[in-house]
Amino acid sequence: CGDPPQTSDYLRDLTPTCEGTAAKMSGDAENDQGIACYREHNNDVLHTGYLSKLGGAKDGHKGNWKRRFAVLKDDLYYYESEDKYMEDATDFKGKLKLNCHFVSIHEGENEAFEFTINALPKSLSCRADSQAEMEIWVEKLALHGREKTLN
């Protein structure tokens, strides 16, 4: 098959990860929006690295960007730093549940390498350090749900 193309079209084709047909065939339940979701808990680390996340946007206030060390497992965990993760992986600052999610890349000029993980019940806006790093995160997040439903 060869290596997949590393274009934004390719990355957009990987989303959403809640493939209704594949998940329905595997016998999994549907959520209240009719999107079939599958989840397997194996706790393997799929990817790690630094991301900036948008936080603090509550009650109509504009949020701020915080750099965090992110760990993609069954869910996305983020820590104050890689050192904090190495000290105690159970002491995370936050977690984004990835029961059912899809990833969207910000359109147009994207010099900040921004993407959003759209998950239920909340989403997370992120910035990577480079285009290449953003593409890796988007691909890993997109494949996170698919590899379990398509096998």
Side-chain angles (χ1 to χ4, degrees), residues 64-137:
N64 54 358
W65 291 95
K66 296 277 187 181
R67 187 169 165 82
R68 298 288 186 235
F69 185 74
V71 178
L72 177 60
K73 299 194 313 187
D74 289 328
D75 294 313
L76 182 70
Y77 298 85
Y78 46 95
Y79 300 81
E80 198 168 311
S81 67
E82 185 175 7
D83 290 340
K84 294 284 187 185
Y85 167 67
M86 298 304 279
E87 285 173 20
D88 183 3
T90 63
D91 188 23
F92 50 87
K93 290 212 51 98
K95 173 172 97 169
L96 182 66
K97 288 189 166 287
L98 298 176
N99 294 359
C100 190
H101 69 282
F102 67 95
V103 181
S104 56
I105 300 171
H106 293 236
E107 296 293 327
E109 293 291 321
N110 192 0
E111 294 176 11
F113 315 114
E114 288 184 37
F115 60 96
T116 299
I117 306 164
N118 302 282
L120 299 172
K122 73 175 197 176
S123 297
L124 184 67
S125 294
C126 301
R127 288 180 177 166
D129 291 337
S130 68
Q131 178 73 27
E133 189 63 23
M134 179 188 73
E135 288 177 5
I136 291 168
W137 275 108

Side-chain angles (χ1 to χ4, degrees), residues 12-13 21 26 29 46 54 64 87 89 98 105 129 133 140:
R12 272 195 264 309
D13 289 342
T21 306
S26 68
L46 303 173
L54 183 60
N64 54 358
E87 285 173 20
L98 298 176
I105 300 171
D129 291 337
E133 189 63 23
K140 296 286 185 180

